[in-house]
Amino acid sequence: MNRSILLLLVILFTGCSREKKPALYLQNRAPLIEKTYLELPLGAIKPRAWLLDQLIRQKNGLTGHLDEVYSQVVGPRNGWLGGHGDGWERGPYWIDGLLPLAYILDDSVLKAKVKPWIEWTLNNQREDGYLGPVPFKTEPPFEPGLQKSQREDWWPKMVMLKVLMQYYNATSDPRVIKALTAYFRYQLKTLPETPLDHWTFWANQRGGDNMMVVYWLYNITGDPFLLELTDLLAKQTFPWTTVFLNKENYTELTSPWQYFDLKTYPFDTAQINSLTVSQMGGMHGVNLCQGIKEPLVYYQQHPDRKYYNSVKKAFLDIRKYHGQPQGMFAADEGLHGKNPVQGIEFCSIAEMMFSLETMLAITGDMEFADQVEKIAYNALPTQASDDFNTRQYFQSANQVELSDRLSVSYLTTGHQYTDYVFGLLSGYPCCTSNMHQAWPKFVQNMWYATTDRGVAALLYGPSEVSLLVGDSIKAHIIETTGYPFWDNIRFSVKLDKSGRFPFHLRMPSWSAKAEISINNTPWNGEIVNHVAIIDREWKNGDEIYLKLPMQMKCSRWYDFAASIERGPLVYALKIDAESKIRDRKDQFGPFTEFYPTSKWNFALYSSDLLHADSVYQIQERHWEGDVYPWNLENCPVSIIARAADYPEWQLQNGIPVFPAWWGRKADEKELVPVTLVPYGCTTLRITEFPVFERSN
């Protein structure tokens, strides 16, 4: 054979042998950057043990029955069902959580509740592509508790876009593709004259949610106009990248609402472009939670490192100026610094989790996964009642009374002091509709397919997943664990045939000495960027054992207050409580107050904090993992610490406001044992403690 022909054949053969096989699941289409982690179809991931119990509680609670207990808003009069009642965000909010819950649980009753919202939306699209409630020709009369106006506002449409995207991921209904294509053409034509903030400022600050769905559709259809639309949306969206990258410039605002309702389009004012996170007092917390993903969503089309850097810097600044230990930041509606008595809106928790999950898939950055778990396993479970029938509007890191006399928010005067109690409509009812997405979407993002045709376990908890890997191998993997309370995780691999594929395991940043074994044989491969990639020939019945040792540590927060963390969990003082149900016969409905029945005003001992792992004692109780863990009765683990009385620390109108200075020293003989429990198990708590020094 001619030598040149032989060489050509070798080159061709080599090229073919090295050719990367296409991903088995939806990947970004050029020119978008390639994702490392690919979302699985809705329903491919199932919760197990206590996590399944958590979702069933949602099904039996408000998520599955909101149309019955809140029918005034999400009942048949809703505009997204063709009615003349509420026609803004609350209906889509509910479906944004109900739909993934229905398909994850494969529950026919819940699917039946979702269906009318999908069918009306798809079957009543206007010829020009407009999607959503029919605008009123004349403004209807005001009805208390309903948001009937602004039906053409871009913002609530963004929630329904997410709903339709999830519905397609579960059903592959082609009508979704047709409807979204028509709607996005409508946007491209209409936005130049009626920009995102034409009706309200919400869409302007939440435009990243719109862009995310446009990119998703582009990956399916490849229509070039969709990339033109995302550039237009980016120009009309609040300049998050610029704001996040600005140098710190802390100044006191003349008004707490200085940036809350600022009209920002076309946002070329020096006032907006010079804004920093340190100056964001009054910036709406939920807007920040949704907006923080916008730079990285846009980064997919324009991979300039500034977008990535802006988000990383934003999280550092948020923690510095507004952060609290449970992974969130103080924003009782607006951002108000990091005092541990300032509140956190339930909507903020749900939206920040979704933003982090979105950014995790785009970047593969495991810091986002660590942050999702911190929020999910601390802030999330405490803000809803065990039966998921009531919730707080705001939670705080330090709260030792929940009553209608509390007033630490700039907004409580408008909510008549019901922001911190547990109720259906207490505080403000947006969270009644929006809280439902947090747990189902957490489950949906626990597992991913990978670009290299593997599987990735990135958020840990009892679960199972079914997917294709390698050479179209059908894999079913069961994750058995008591995480986040216990440090060991077991993966049981079931395959329809043996084959080679990579298995990605996240190594949390808080665990320095993780151990991995396969079929009882230690695995000592390289860990890169907090990910262990086990690339090997797998067979049916293989098992992976992962141990993530949890070290105890002290973190510092407001006014040098100390908090105790261990693994993904933050710990808080165990406070016994008594409850009182009240009904003032007003628009907030019945609510439950909580009052402390045990001592709460303690300070930790500074010397102990330096050696917490050896001084504090871990106490574990028998727990099989299937019993609901998020209350004082069932919490699987606690810490016995030492503390001193701090009698000067008293409640001010029910609020544990720190005294101006806690410089008193304590003799070691004054120390008494106190019990710390996981933050998510508490209703009343102290999480940020003052600290005493040793007496000479």
Side-chain angles (χ1 to χ4, degrees):
M1 182 179 292
N2 184 288
R3 185 176 178 182
S4 60
I5 295 176
L6 177 62
L7 179 61
L8 178 61
L9 289 174
V10 169
I11 293 173
L12 290 173
F13 179 80
T14 304
C16 291
S17 65
R18 292 181 180 177
E19 182 181 355
K20 185 177 180 181
K21 292 183 179 180
L24 292 167
Y25 294 91
L26 185 65
Q27 173 62 280
N28 273 351
R29 180 191 293 260
L32 304 185
I33 63 168
E34 187 178 79
K35 290 183 178 182
T36 303
Y37 297 109
L38 310 177
E39 185 178 4
L40 294 171
L42 188 56
I45 306 166
K46 302 290 187 184
R48 293 168 59 88
W50 71 262
L51 193 50
L52 174 59
D53 181 40
Q54 176 69 61
L55 265 60
I56 291 175
R57 287 169 184 261
Q58 281 196 236
K59 168 192 169 182
N60 295 332
L62 289 181
T63 310
H65 297 276
L66 194 65
D67 54 333
E68 301 163 34
V69 298
Y70 196 30
S71 59
Q72 176 193 18
V73 169
V74 298
R77 291 187 60 213
N78 192 280
W80 290 91
L81 295 173
H84 290 79
D86 196 284
W88 210 52
E89 65 182 6
R90 293 182 206 166
Y93 264 163
W94 176 46
I95 304 303
D96 194 28
L98 179 64
L99 189 149
L101 181 69
Y103 283 92
I104 289 172
L105 294 180
D106 194 18
D107 188 284
S108 60
V109 174
L110 298 185
K111 290 178 184 178
K113 292 198 174 193
V114 168
K115 187 174 182 179
W117 298 78
I118 300 295
E119 292 300 322
W120 188 90
T121 301
L122 293 178
N123 293 332
N124 290 275
Q125 188 168 23
R126 224 164 49 191
E127 287 187 7
D128 63 358
Y130 171 85
L131 200 67
V134 179
F136 294 114
K137 293 182 179 179
T138 59
E139 194 69 15
F142 171 75
E143 291 184 61
L146 297 185
Q147 296 171 308
K148 298 197 295 184
S149 302
Q150 307 293 355
R151 288 193 164 205
E152 291 182 283
D153 185 15
W154 298 109
W155 153 238
K157 310 291 192 297
M158 298 180 191
V159 186
M160 188 55 76
L161 296 181
K162 291 193 298 176
V163 169
L164 293 175
M165 179 177 68
Q166 293 177 94
Y167 179 68
Y168 183 86
N169 286 344
T171 67
S172 300
D173 188 333
R175 296 179 300 163
V176 171
I177 304 304
K178 180 180 178 181
L180 291 184
T181 299
Y183 177 71
F184 290 143
R185 289 191 182 279
Y186 168 78
Q187 278 199 306
L188 185 62
K189 179 180 178 181
T190 309
L191 280 170
E193 298 298 325
T194 53
L196 289 180
D197 66 349
H198 179 79
W199 286 283
T200 69
F201 69 98
W202 302 104
N204 162 270
Q205 297 191 10
R206 301 175 179 185
D209 288 56
N210 200 145
M211 294 162 60
M212 175 190 67
V213 183
V214 177
Y215 285 140
W216 172 83
L217 182 64
Y218 172 76
N219 289 332
I220 295 174
T221 68
D223 288 336
F225 86 90
L226 294 169
L227 299 183
E228 182 184 352
L229 174 59
T230 51
D231 282 333
L232 177 60
L233 289 166
K235 290 178 182 178
Q236 295 187 4
T237 297
F238 184 86
W240 294 108
T241 300
T242 299
V243 170
F244 292 157
L245 286 175
N246 284 337
K247 293 182 179 180
E248 297 177 33
N249 181 26
Y250 183 77
T251 55
E252 293 290 338
L253 301 182
T254 57
S255 163
W257 298 106
Q258 185 171 338
Y259 293 114
F260 181 83
D261 57 355
L262 193 63
K263 192 170 180 65
T264 59
Y265 181 78
F267 63 73
D268 56 353
T269 65
Q271 185 180 32
I272 285 295
N273 282 327
S274 63
L275 180 64
T276 70
V277 172
S278 59
Q279 296 173 308
M280 275 189 176
M283 168 65 71
H284 191 261
V286 183
N287 284 346
L288 177 57
C289 289
Q290 292 185 248
I292 200 166
K293 66 176 172 288
E294 187 271 343
L296 282 176
V297 170
Y298 195 48
Y299 171 77
Q300 295 175 96
Q301 184 178 353
H302 300 277
D304 188 321
R305 192 69 184 180
K306 71 177 182 180
Y307 297 111
Y308 197 106
N309 293 341
S310 73
V311 173
K312 301 292 279 190
K313 179 177 179 293
F315 276 109
L316 293 174
D317 289 346
I318 288 168
R319 186 191 189 281
K320 180 176 181 179
Y321 291 103
H322 307 284
Q324 290 191 1
Q326 75 291 84
M328 287 298 298
F329 54 88
D332 35 16
E333 290 277 355
L335 276 70
H336 298 130
K338 55 193 300 186
N339 193 313
V341 300
Q342 295 291 163
I344 301 164
E345 189 177 341
F346 207 160
C347 284
S348 290
I349 290 171
E351 296 293 355
M352 179 58 86
M353 287 179 61
F354 180 66
S355 286
L356 287 162
E357 291 154 1
T358 301
M359 294 186 291
L360 173 61
I362 292 171
T363 66
D365 189 329
M366 293 302 115
E367 286 190 12
F368 297 139
D370 287 351
Q371 189 78 355
V372 172
E373 282 193 355
K374 175 162 271 193
I375 296 170
Y377 290 146
N378 293 282
L380 176 58
T382 187
Q383 202 151 350
S385 59
D386 290 354
D387 61 7
F388 220 80
N389 277 320
T390 60
R391 88 294 180 270
Q392 284 180 289
Y393 184 48
F394 297 147
Q395 66 164 284
S396 298
N398 287 1
Q399 56 183 43
V400 298
E401 176 182 314
L402 304 177
S403 70
D404 70 350
R405 70 169 178 156
L406 268 64
S407 176
V408 298
S409 160
Y410 288 101
L411 284 188
T412 45
T413 53
H415 302 156
Q416 298 182 31
Y417 308 108
T418 65
D419 289 337
Y420 292 86
V421 299
F422 278 77
L424 172 65
L425 300 176
S426 53
Y428 198 72
C430 57
C431 296
T432 300
S433 298
N434 194 21
M435 65 183 187
H436 311 283
Q437 65 169 308
W439 280 118
K441 291 183 182 178
F442 177 79
V443 171
Q444 175 62 13
N445 286 279
M446 296 176 77
W447 294 85
Y448 291 89
T450 67
T451 299
D452 51 7
R453 289 188 161 219
V455 59
L458 301 187
L459 302 176
Y460 294 131
S463 60
E464 58 188 297
V465 62
S466 298
L467 77 165
L468 295 176
V469 292
D471 187 16
S472 297
I473 302 167
K474 293 181 181 179
H476 182 76
I477 304 169
I478 298 173
E479 180 178 355
T480 304
T481 183
Y483 191 91
F485 306 99
W486 307 154
D487 64 2
N488 53 83
I489 306 171
R490 187 175 299 277
F491 300 94
S492 301
V493 180
K494 310 296 181 185
L495 306 174
D496 71 335
K497 60 182 178 180
S498 298
R500 188 180 188 93
F501 61 88
F503 199 129
H504 295 219
L505 291 173
R506 164 176 146 262
M507 300 291 105
S509 60
W510 46 259
S511 187
K513 297 180 179 179
E515 301 173 16
I516 300 173
S517 62
I518 303 171
N519 301 329
N520 298 317
T521 300
W523 181 86
N524 297 309
E526 187 179 7
I527 295 174
V528 180
N529 296 326
H530 296 284
V531 178
I533 302 179
I534 309 171
D535 192 350
R536 67 189 293 271
E537 190 82 13
W538 299 90
K539 64 180 184 301
N540 185 49
D542 282 343
E543 286 198 337
I544 303 173
Y545 178 79
L546 172 64
K547 185 176 179 62
L548 299 169
M550 298 179 178
Q551 296 81 32
M552 203 179 307
K553 70 173 186 177
C554 168
S555 55
R556 296 288 186 159
W557 300 89
Y558 175 77
D559 207 5
F560 301 104
S563 293
I564 303 300
E565 303 181 32
R566 181 173 177 265
L569 297 180
V570 177
Y571 284 76
L573 181 69
K574 178 183 179 182
I575 301 176
D576 296 322
E578 62 181 6
S579 61
K580 178 181 178 182
I581 299 177
R582 295 186 56 197
D583 188 350
R584 304 185 311 194
K585 306 297 183 182
D586 58 16
Q587 73 269 29
F588 300 103
F591 57 83
T592 303
E593 297 179 326
F594 292 87
Y595 297 89
T597 59
S598 61
K599 189 175 179 63
W600 60 268
N601 47 350
F602 293 102
L604 299 179
Y605 197 35
S606 61
S607 297
D608 288 358
L609 299 177
L610 298 175
H611 311 285
D613 254 330
S614 58
V615 176
Y616 292 175
Q617 299 176 5
I618 302 294
Q619 289 193 342
E620 298 179 345
R621 64 194 300 175
H622 180 73
W623 182 64
E624 296 291 343
D626 54 345
V627 176
Y628 179 81
W630 300 113
N631 54 40
L632 296 183
E633 293 74 26
N634 298 335
C635 70
V637 62
S638 59
I639 296 173
I640 305 301
R642 300 195 302 175
D645 288 345
Y646 191 10
E648 298 87 355
W649 191 13
Q650 296 294 324
L651 295 181
Q652 300 178 22
N653 293 324
I655 302 165
V657 178
F658 281 146
W661 176 248
W662 56 62
R664 183 172 74 81
K665 296 182 182 295
D667 190 281
E668 192 163 354
K669 295 179 181 179
E670 299 178 59
L671 299 180
V672 296
V674 295
T675 301
L676 309 181
V677 296
Y679 183 104
C681 299
T682 65
T683 300
L684 303 182
R685 58 183 164 265
I686 294 294
T687 314
E688 298 186 33
F689 291 86
V691 178
F692 280 161
E693 300 295 333
R694 180 193 299 270
S695 296
N696 293 328

